[in-house]
C-alpha cells in the first residue's frame, strides 16, 4: 500500500497533465492517490478515468489556498468533494487570484518591471490558478525564484499583496459544504512554531492533518500524530508530487513515517 493524498497537475502548478500524474503514480506503486490542484478540480475527471484504467484508487480532491493569522498562504485539502458544488467555489477563488495578480503586477511595474497581467496569465499556460510563481517568471525571474520572492513577493516585500479570501475557517466550511473532508495540509511547511501549529489545529478543528510529509521531521511528525490521536483526526500522507523535474517535490513515496504509524485515507462522508 502506498498512499499519496496530495499531487498537482498542469491544472495548477504541476508539470504533467492529470492522466500523466496518475500514470506516474501507478508506476511508482501508489495504491490510493488524490489529485489536489490549487483551487481547481478540472483535472479530476481525467485523473479518475486514468485511475480506473490503471486499477488504482483516486480520491476526488482539491487544495484550497486560504489566509490565517499564522500563515499568509495556508493550504487545506478537501477530499471526497462533490465536483459540481466545488466548481463555482473554484471559479471565485480563481477570480480572486486574477485580481490579486493584477495588483501585484501593478506594484512590480511601479518598481520598474515591464510586465502586464496578460504576460503573467500567459506564463500560467493551461493552469486555471494563476499564482505568484507565474508572476515572478513573467517579470523575468528564472531558475530559483527564492531571491525574487524574498525581494518582492513575500509579506512585507515591495510588491506583496495579501490573499483576502477565503479564511482557513471558511475554506473548511466550503469543503464540508461540498460534502468533503477537510485536512490541513503540511502544517510545518507553512508554520514553524509548534505552539502555533497546535493552536491552529485546536481552533480550526479540521477532520485531519497531513502528518507524513517529506520536509516534516520525526519530532514534527510525532507532534502531529499526537494531535490526531487526541482530537480524533485522520493522519494523512503525501509527497506533494509536482512532476518529474520539480525542484522539491518530484517523487512519489518520498515521505517518511519514521515507524510512528500508518497513513490513513479519510472515509467518504
Ligand atoms: P500564491 O498561490 O500566489 O500565493 O503562490 C504560492 C506559491 O508561491 C507557493 O506554492 C510556492 O510555490 C511559491 N512560493 C511561496 N513563497 C515562496 C518563496 N519564498 N520562494 C519561492 N517560492 C515561493
Ligand atoms: Mn500545498
Amino acid at each position: 500500500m502506498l498512499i499519496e493524498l496530495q499531487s498537482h497537475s498542469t491544472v495548477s502548478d504541476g508539470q504533467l497533465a492529470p492522466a500523466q500524474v496518475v500514470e506516474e503514480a501507478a508506476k511508482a506503486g501508489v495504491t490510493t492517490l488524490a489529485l489536489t490542484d490549487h483551487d481547481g478540480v478540472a483535472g479530476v475527471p481525467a485523473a479518475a478515468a486514468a485511475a480506473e484504467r490503471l486499477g488504482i484508487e483516486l480520491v476526488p480532491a482539491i487544495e484550497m489556498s486560504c489566509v490565517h493569522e499564522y500563515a499568509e498562504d495556508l493550504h487545506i485539502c478537501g477530499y471526497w468533494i462533490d465536483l459540481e458544488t466545488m466548481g463555482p467555489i473554484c471559479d471565485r477563488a480563481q477570480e480572486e487570484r486574477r485580481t490579486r495578480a493584477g495588483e501585484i503586477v501593478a506594484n512590480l511595474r511601479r518598481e520598474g518591471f515591464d510586465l502586464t497581467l496578460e504576460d503573467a496569465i500567459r506564463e500560467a499556460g493551461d493552469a486555471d490558478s494563476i499564482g505568484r510563481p507565474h508572476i515572478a517568471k513573467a517579470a523575468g525571474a528564472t531558475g530559483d525564484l527564492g531571491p525574487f520572492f524574498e525581494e518582492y513577493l513575500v509579506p512585507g516585500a515591495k510588491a506583496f499583496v495579501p490573499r483576502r479570501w477565503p479564511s482557513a475557517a471558511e475554506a473548511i466550511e466550503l469543503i464540508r459544504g461540498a460534502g468533503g473532508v477537510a485536512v490541513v495540509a503540511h502544517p510545518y511547511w507553512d508554520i514553524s512554531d509548534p505552539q502555533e501549529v497546535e493552536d491552529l489545529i485546536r481552533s480550526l478543528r479540521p477532520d485531519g492533518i497531513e502528518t507524513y510529509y517529506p520536509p516534516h521531521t520525526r519530532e514534527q511528525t510525532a507532534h502531529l500524530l499526537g494531535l490526531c490521536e487526541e482530537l480524533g483526526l485522520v493522519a494523512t500522507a503525501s509527497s506533494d508530487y509536482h512532476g518529474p523535474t520539480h525542484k522539491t517535490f518530484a517523487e512519489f513515496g518520498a515521505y517518511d513515517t519514521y515507524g510512528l504509524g500508518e497513513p490513513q485515507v479519510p472515509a467518504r462522508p
Side-chain angles (χ1 to χ4, degrees), residues 65-68 76 164-174 204:
S65 292
C66 55
V67 277
H68 187 275
I76 312 258
R164 303 184 188 96
W165 180 91
S167 68
E170 284 169 330
I172 290 175
E173 213 172 291
L174 289 164
L204 284 178

Side-chain angles (χ1 to χ4, degrees), residues 13 38-39 65 72-73 75 97 100 104 130-133 135 144-147 149-150 153-154 163 189 242 246-247:
D13 60 352
H38 297 288
D39 296 329
S65 292
E72 52 91 20
D73 185 25
H75 293 172
R97 281 175 171 276
R100 180 186 184 214
I104 295 173
I130 187 170
R132 283 174 289 162
I135 302 169
D144 179 10
L145 302 178
F149 262 79
E150 293 305 317
L153 300 180
V154 298
R163 180 175 267 109
W189 179 252
H242 277 68
H246 189 271
K247 189 165 56 77

Side-chain angles (χ1 to χ4, degrees), residues 6 8 38 63 75 185-186 213 240:
Q6 179 170 181
H8 298 269
H38 297 288
E63 182 176 27
H75 293 172
H186 44 63
Y213 189 70
D240 209 351

